[in-house]
Amino acid sequence: MNSLLIELNHHIGKKVAKKAGLSYKKIIQKSFPDKESYVRFPFEVKNKKIFILADLAKNPNEILFTLLLMSKTLKRLKAKKIYLIAPYMAYLRQDEAFYKNEAISGVIVTEFLSDLFDGVIVIDPHLHRVKSIKGFFKCKTKQLSAANEIAKKLEKKDVVLVGPDSESKQWVETIAKKINKKFVIASKIRYSSRRVNVNIKKGVVNLKSKDVVIIDDIASTGHTIIEAAKVLKKQKVKSIECYCVHGLFMKDALKKLNKMGIKTIASNTIKNPVERIDISGEIVKGVKEWL
Ligand code: R5P
């Protein structure tokens, strides 16, 4: 086969490779006692198109360094094309300097990857001030979405959709329009990683006694969802579910959400205990266009 999929810390590689007709491969990777990294390709890569499916949610810095070793080696070994599939693209939330002299890591990391790859495939990148993934990367990009899969899961339910902050509008509005649901977008102020304040204007959409679904791109500490849920409870909703694309669920986030009675589900862009939304089909669509 002339096109290979190499899985780096991800868990849906075999499924994607099978559906896209790629040969599935793993590399030899280890750390020396002093934490230096080692990488070897125990298969032929010359003249092959290589797709690397990487999970950038866990240990992103280590994975970024491994990607550097992989790409430089693949170029030396004359691979035909090298593509990165990063279903969850890390670092995009730092898309400007919020404080004086801060590193704008979203720009730095995407420039770094642009030099290493011929193209990058991303699912629902966190876009805020930079409006398109093309605004971040200098190489080719494919921006795909879990919106269709989420819409399919919700279309038969009698629910009102809630976006917990202004950025979430891009997903919530798209999904709501696809399946003809009412939606409301909250406003959020974040003071620190775990301290956020969410406000939902009363009366925009009647939420009392309704089953509501919070939709967000990322659930990390879970505090955005938790604060949104507190406000929704005050507005006397009947039930609260949460659908998020990228379930990072740091520390005890899922436990806290469960404790509040919020049924949470996420996609499989990142390995997590509540992955019920399969985005492998979306990735395959993107891969096939570059075969
Ligand atoms: C930020 O704007 C994102 O869309 C999410 O709302 C945020 O990353 C969620 O983080 P956390 O779960 O830590 O509140």
Side-chain angles (χ1 to χ4, degrees):
M1 238 181 247
N2 275 335
S3 301
L4 315 179
L5 183 140
I6 300 174
E7 188 164 54
L8 181 61
N9 263 29
H10 215 288
H11 65 301
I12 60 168
K14 279 190 183 153
K15 197 195 279 191
V16 172
K18 194 169 172 205
K19 285 191 195 172
L22 307 175
S23 168
Y24 173 82
K25 300 283 181 199
K26 277 194 158 171
I27 55 166
I28 296 172
Q29 207 193 341
K30 60 187 178 189
S31 281
F32 293 105
D34 56 4
K35 299 269 187 265
E36 286 185 4
S37 300
Y38 171 94
V39 157
R40 185 165 79 84
F41 298 89
F43 44 85
E44 196 52 63
V45 297
K46 192 173 174 187
N47 292 329
K48 309 262 186 203
K49 277 192 182 173
I50 313 277
F51 291 84
I52 301 174
L53 172 64
D55 181 352
L56 280 161
K58 289 162 217 122
N59 299 323
N61 301 344
E62 199 182 309
I63 298 293
L64 287 169
F65 185 74
T66 308
L67 289 173
L68 170 70
L69 297 185
M70 289 174 77
S71 164
K72 294 277 181 193
T73 310
L74 288 168
K75 284 184 183 182
R76 180 173 59 80
L77 298 174
K78 302 207 173 357
K80 192 169 173 189
K81 293 278 179 201
I82 316 166
Y83 299 113
L84 171 66
I85 308 168
Y88 171 70
M89 184 60 222
Y91 277 109
L92 296 185
R93 283 171 289 180
Q94 182 84 39
D95 61 357
E96 72 171 26
F98 303 104
Y99 297 96
K100 198 173 169 223
N101 298 344
E102 210 171 40
I104 307 175
S105 40
V107 172
I108 298 167
V109 169
T110 50
E111 275 179 9
F112 166 78
L113 292 173
S114 300
D115 289 340
L116 302 182
F117 294 96
D118 294 294
V120 176
I121 296 176
V122 185
I123 302 276
D124 290 317
H126 185 84
L127 299 174
H128 190 188
R129 287 146 290 254
V130 179
K131 296 293 173 214
S132 149
I133 197 68
K134 289 187 173 38
F136 274 111
F137 285 94
K138 294 200 166 69
C139 61
K140 288 202 296 185
T141 51
K142 274 200 191 301
Q143 180 179 330
L144 307 171
S145 178
N148 277 337
E149 295 303 317
I150 296 180
K152 275 190 222 158
K153 296 230 178 265
L154 294 175
E155 65 184 335
K156 294 210 174 88
K157 295 188 176 189
D158 182 15
V159 291
V160 177
L161 310 185
V162 174
D165 53 26
S166 59
E167 293 107 295
S168 66
K169 189 172 177 218
Q170 53 195 299
W171 294 280
V172 179
E173 191 174 27
T174 309
I175 294 167
K177 283 187 176 160
K178 271 184 206 294
I179 52 177
N180 203 18
K181 303 285 177 206
K182 288 195 173 144
F183 71 95
V184 61
I185 304 296
S187 55
K188 176 174 93 178
I189 303 174
R190 183 180 285 281
Y191 300 101
S192 68
S193 295
R194 288 186 161 69
R195 215 162 68 79
V196 290
N197 184 279
V198 174
N199 182 36
I200 301 175
K201 262 197 197 153
K202 268 195 174 169
V204 180
V205 173
N206 180 25
L207 294 168
K208 193 171 172 200
S209 307
K210 302 280 188 212
D211 293 312
V212 300
V213 176
I214 301 171
I215 296 183
D216 207 357
D217 60 333
I218 303 172
S220 178
T221 64
H223 280 267
T224 298
I225 302 167
I226 288 169
E227 293 308 316
K230 282 184 192 165
V231 180
L232 290 168
K233 283 188 177 182
K234 277 192 195 144
Q235 295 196 18
K236 304 208 180 328
V237 300
K238 189 166 143 202
S239 72
I240 306 171
E241 278 189 303
C242 173
Y243 281 54
C244 63
V245 180
H246 308 294
L248 274 97
F249 303 125
M250 303 315 294
K251 290 193 174 157
D252 52 355
L254 263 178
K255 227 177 173 179
K256 286 185 193 157
L257 293 167
N258 280 338
K259 213 170 151 191
M260 278 198 79
I262 305 165
K263 188 182 165 212
T264 306
I265 79 164
S267 84
N268 53 359
T269 56
I270 300 167
K271 192 170 175 51
N272 70 81
V274 291
E275 48 180 82
R276 308 272 182 277
I277 303 158
D278 183 14
I279 47 81
S280 61
E282 277 297 301
I283 295 177
V284 170
K285 272 191 233 160
V287 166
K288 282 190 170 166
E289 287 174 30
W290 284 347
L291 278 181

